[in-house]
Amino acid sequence: MVTSQLLYNPLDPDFRANPYPFYDELRAHEPAHVTPFGLVVITRYDDVGQTLRSNDFSRDIEANGRVYDDPVSIRRRERQARGAKTILNLDPPDHTRLRRLVSKAFTPSAIDALRGRIESLVDDVLDRAADQGSMELVDDLAFPVPFQVISDMLAIPADRADEMREWSQLLTAAIEPTTTLETLDAADVALGSMRPYLSELIEHRRRNLGDDVLSALIVAEEEGDRLNVDELLSFVVLLYVAGHETTVNLIGNGMLALLRHPAELDRWRHDPSLDANAVDELLRYDGPVQHTVRVAMTPVVYGEGDQRVEVEPHQSVLCVLGAANHDPAMFDDPHSLRLDRPNAGRHLAFAAGIHYCLGASLARLEATVAIGRLIRRFDTIELVGEPTFRDRLTIRGVDRMQLSLA
Ligand code: HEM
């Protein structure tokens, strides 16, 4: 019998390099696994899906989770108390109110209207790559396209793009389970610079409303309700960070999966009718967000017999999306990449329930255009050397990937 500690050790370099065999072990032996810190790690598709959709859980971990007194937990609580919450860590009815207000800016028709702009951004990158016969996928394509799109949507000018990119990376580092006081300090410094800059932009926009999402958020009103200034600012930060820190990894991880399955790549290249299903299969196969936390509000039970685990109110549950997406009970031969997989769309890469990713259609569109146009523009796309992965757990993604193109 493998010991609990060995089963889930996200700090193990092998786990970081490829978590999927570890997820298989967990799912088979302890589908609800309690870590030494009392975190319940769930890996079955049904358990993860039901937990995300259940009203017995909260997303507001700071308000409802167990109170720990280690320095990192104390700092996390202080930071949370300082800033306005976003829809990502609110429960109904506040979540319902804010999500309704912001959803207006993310309607399918608003997203579809961006297609032409995304195509032209991608084509510019591909033209330059064609001249050079090579590209570094992340810096040349996967990062700049979603970054430019979300900046356009929020009417954020390009003049401080490098700083904004750095601040965003420092902010997402703070949501990692391995966060240290130093990471939190760095995130605070980043937020301290980002907030005044964005406040200034918001005030400017308020006086010059335009056709962008930021203007729509400023005027968003439903039954006399409005985003207050703090909510607006926090929401812009969330959108900005979520808008490019995730899709970059869908394009990076997705391209890597395709290059390791050349027959599938070739099939997609010649069959555009696969577009939608192929992107869902890439999200299932190696999605950018590996897990998300919920807090039990009532006693909950997972499994039965010697796999039975009782979760107490206020105990946190780690819903491992990456493991659910490789559960053989849901996905036949789950470690194979099959772009025409009939149920690929049932993946949980965008979570499920009320917090289902607000930017899902945008992310899908960006990945379809970026990957679709790249593989159709070049007949030969080859990896040069081995790609490296970012040193993150929550967000998993390729860091550098050099390609030769012909
Ligand atoms: C491939 C790219 C993306 C992936 C894999 C992804 C994944 C996710 C996941 C898993 C959640 C739920 C988190 C939870 O329940 O705890 C989420 C929520 C969210 N995502 Fe995304 N996301 C992506 C792209 C985007 C983009 C492009 C945007 C915005 C432009 C965005 C905005 C949001 C927002 C605002 C939420 C919070 C929704 C809520 O709490 O109601 N995401 N995303």
Side-chain angles (χ1 to χ4, degrees), residues 46-264:
D46 283 349
D47 288 342
V48 172
Q50 279 163 21
T51 302
L52 293 171
R53 291 186 180 94
S54 164
N55 294 329
D56 295 339
F57 290 86
S58 161
R59 183 66 178 80
D60 192 344
I61 297 139
E62 311 300 327
N64 297 318
R66 280 182 180 167
V67 178
Y68 293 98
D69 281 332
D70 62 289
V72 169
S73 305
I74 293 173
R75 266 297 286 290
R76 277 191 197 274
R77 281 199 297 280
E78 285 168 6
R79 296 179 81 236
Q80 192 74 35
R82 281 202 302 272
K85 289 185 176 162
T86 66
I87 52 170
L88 189 55
N89 46 27
L90 279 171
D91 295 328
D94 286 337
H95 175 269
T96 322
R97 174 180 73 90
L98 289 189
R99 174 126 183 170
R100 200 188 297 129
L101 283 175
V102 298
S103 300
K104 288 179 171 178
F106 280 83
T107 58
S109 61
I111 297 305
D112 232 32
L114 299 170
R115 183 181 282 273
R117 168 80 173 137
I118 299 173
E119 287 175 348
S120 95
L121 286 170
V122 168
D123 287 347
D124 284 350
V125 171
L126 299 184
D127 288 346
R128 282 195 298 277
D131 289 344
Q132 292 169 359
S134 67
M135 72 157 53
E136 197 287 296
L137 183 86
V138 178
D139 270 1
D140 293 345
L141 178 71
F143 175 78
V145 171
F147 183 79
Q148 191 57 55
V149 171
I150 195 68
S151 301
D152 287 356
M153 287 177 81
L154 294 171
I156 296 178
D159 55 343
R160 295 181 72 180
D162 288 347
E163 283 167 283
M164 286 291 275
R165 180 180 183 180
E166 200 189 318
W167 295 333
S168 299
Q169 287 183 355
L170 294 170
L171 285 179
T172 50
I175 59 167
E176 289 292 323
T178 48
T179 282
T180 60
L181 285 178
E182 289 73 39
T183 337
L184 294 176
D185 281 342
D188 280 349
V189 172
L191 203 58
S193 310
M194 201 172 185
R195 287 180 80 101
Y197 172 57
L198 289 176
S199 298
E200 212 177 286
L201 287 179
I202 290 172
E203 284 322 307
H204 174 76
R205 236 336 83 168
R206 202 185 288 286
R207 294 187 301 272
N208 305 276
L209 290 175
D211 193 15
D212 49 86
V213 171
L214 181 57
S215 299
L217 292 178
I218 291 171
V219 297
E221 209 167 353
E222 174 94 2
E223 293 158 11
D225 211 351
R226 229 178 226 284
L227 288 172
N228 69 38
V229 175
D230 277 346
E231 288 168 341
L232 178 60
L233 192 60
S234 296
F235 191 68
V236 169
V237 174
L238 170 69
L239 272 187
Y240 186 74
V241 173
H244 70 276
E245 282 275 339
T246 47
T247 314
V248 53
N249 300 317
L250 172 57
I251 298 172
N253 299 1
M255 243 350 260
L256 180 60
L258 290 170
L259 289 168
R260 288 185 169 156
H261 298 82
E264 288 294 285

Side-chain angles (χ1 to χ4, degrees), residues 357-372:
C357 177
L358 181 69
S361 336
L362 175 61
R364 281 196 170 98
L365 177 63
E366 288 172 336
T368 309
V369 173
I371 300 179

Side-chain angles (χ1 to χ4, degrees), residues 316-380:
S316 290
V317 175
L318 190 74
C319 302
V320 188
L321 309 174
N325 288 339
H326 282 244
D327 185 347
M330 180 62 195
F331 300 105
D332 189 29
D333 192 9
H335 302 314
S336 295
L337 181 79
R338 294 189 196 156
L339 299 183
D340 63 350
R341 184 181 288 279
N343 64 350
R346 298 198 59 192
H347 66 76
L348 296 173
F350 290 126
I354 61 167
H355 293 281
Y356 180 81
C357 177
L358 181 69
S361 336
L362 175 61
R364 281 196 170 98
L365 177 63
E366 288 172 336
T368 309
V369 173
I371 300 179
R373 286 172 109 78
L374 171 62
I375 61 175
R376 286 177 195 127
R377 175 77 173 260
F378 301 100
D379 291 333
T380 310

